[in-house]
Amino acid sequence: MNAHPTPQVDIAPLQLKPTKETYDRLQQAYEHFNKGLFEAKLPNALITLQRRKNTYGYFAGARFRNDDGRQADEIALNPATFHERTSKDILATLVHEMVHLWQHHEGKPGRGRYHNREWADRMKLLGLQPTDNGDETGKETGETVGHLIVPAGPFDQAADKLIGREFAIIWKEAPLPLESTGKGEAEPETLEPKSGKRVRYCCPECDLKAWAKHDARLMCADDKALMIAGD
């Protein structure tokens, strides 16, 4: 007779699959919008999570290649912003980057990070209003351009349809408690660098890196692309 009973093991944590639950949903969303907004003509991209400061996401054409030599574009989303945004806002960023992917394959992208008129017109067609200042008075083109969701527009309706199927971004980065600042792997984030502080810049095409003042304008000579201030 066993005098020492086997301790109970909590199997709930073992049943969690954060990677699958995150990336399966992102792929589901990509396919949903590809079919509903792009006539299912976009090639699949490799969706990644990247903590690039001061950005919700970015697109990089032909960033990946498999063993057979086939290429895939990258669409990156910033998980550090998920907890403060709704699922629809995150999905709007995904479609924003899908428009860049569409233009990469079917149109004529602007140089570097420049959002040109072709891109802006396609965004508006899908019900995402380009803006460089967060409201309807903002410029529709430029190097740093976001978007507003047009109520009842094509994207808004497509997103409601997807969310109505119980879609959700269920894994979101947990905000760090104040007492943990500076410990472990915590990365303090400064949205507005102090004057004179040197920051790292990165080429969005080849990942070339350089350090300079926060207000510098650096250009990658190889890719003719404006380098982006990052972490």
Side-chain angles (χ1 to χ4, degrees):
M1 181 175 180
N2 188 355
H4 302 284
T6 302
Q8 295 295 316
V9 177
D10 183 5
I11 65 172
L14 304 179
Q15 295 175 331
L16 294 176
K17 297 181 179 180
T19 301
K20 180 177 176 59
E21 292 168 354
T22 297
Y23 286 96
D24 280 1
R25 283 172 170 79
L26 292 176
Q27 180 65 31
Q28 176 192 358
Y30 185 95
E31 292 176 2
H32 173 79
F33 291 118
N34 190 12
K35 180 179 179 180
L37 301 178
F38 297 91
E39 300 178 330
K41 293 182 178 180
L42 299 185
N44 280 304
L46 201 165
I47 302 173
T48 65
L49 299 181
Q50 302 280 356
R51 292 183 181 87
R52 180 175 289 181
K53 292 180 181 178
N54 305 319
T55 184
Y56 290 129
Y58 65 81
F59 166 78
R63 179 57 60 89
F64 292 93
R65 181 180 290 108
N66 70 6
D67 290 342
D68 295 331
R70 296 182 180 180
Q71 295 181 336
D73 305 315
E74 177 185 22
I75 287 179
L77 302 176
N78 188 348
T81 68
F82 283 8
H83 69 276
E84 62 192 34
R85 307 174 72 209
T86 66
S87 290
K88 184 178 286 189
D89 287 334
I90 297 169
L91 292 173
T93 295
L94 174 64
V95 173
H96 176 128
E97 305 308 334
M98 290 174 72
V99 175
H100 283 299
L101 187 151
W102 164 82
Q103 191 177 40
H104 176 75
H105 289 279
E106 303 292 339
K108 296 181 179 179
R111 293 180 59 184
R113 297 177 61 224
Y114 190 81
H115 299 70
N116 62 18
R117 173 49 54 189
E118 180 186 60
W119 173 87
D121 287 345
R122 184 71 181 198
M123 287 282 285
K124 293 165 69 175
L125 182 66
L126 301 184
L128 294 173
Q129 174 62 44
T131 174
D132 71 341
N133 66 3
D135 63 43
E136 296 178 355
T137 67
K139 295 180 180 179
E140 296 180 349
T141 61
E143 293 180 359
T144 305
V145 181
H147 58 261
L148 300 171
I149 298 173
V150 178
F155 166 79
D156 196 33
Q157 294 183 51
D160 283 343
K161 186 175 181 180
L162 179 63
I163 294 171
R165 297 173 183 166
E166 299 184 354
F167 175 92
I169 305 294
I170 61 175
W171 287 97
K172 299 182 179 182
E173 185 171 295
L176 291 169
L178 294 178
E179 61 270 18
S180 70
T181 302
K183 300 178 181 179
E185 297 297 322
E187 298 181 4
E189 182 169 336
T190 303
L191 296 179
E192 298 293 336
K194 296 180 179 179
S195 177
K197 180 180 178 180
R198 294 172 66 83
V199 297
R200 186 174 68 173
Y201 288 76
C202 176
C203 173
E205 299 297 329
C206 68
D207 212 37
L208 175 71
K209 296 179 177 61
W211 288 86
K213 293 183 178 180
H214 76 278
D215 57 350
R217 291 173 59 84
L218 303 183
M219 181 73 73
C220 175
D222 291 337
D223 294 301
K224 303 297 188 295
L226 189 67
M227 298 179 71
I228 305 169
D231 50 11

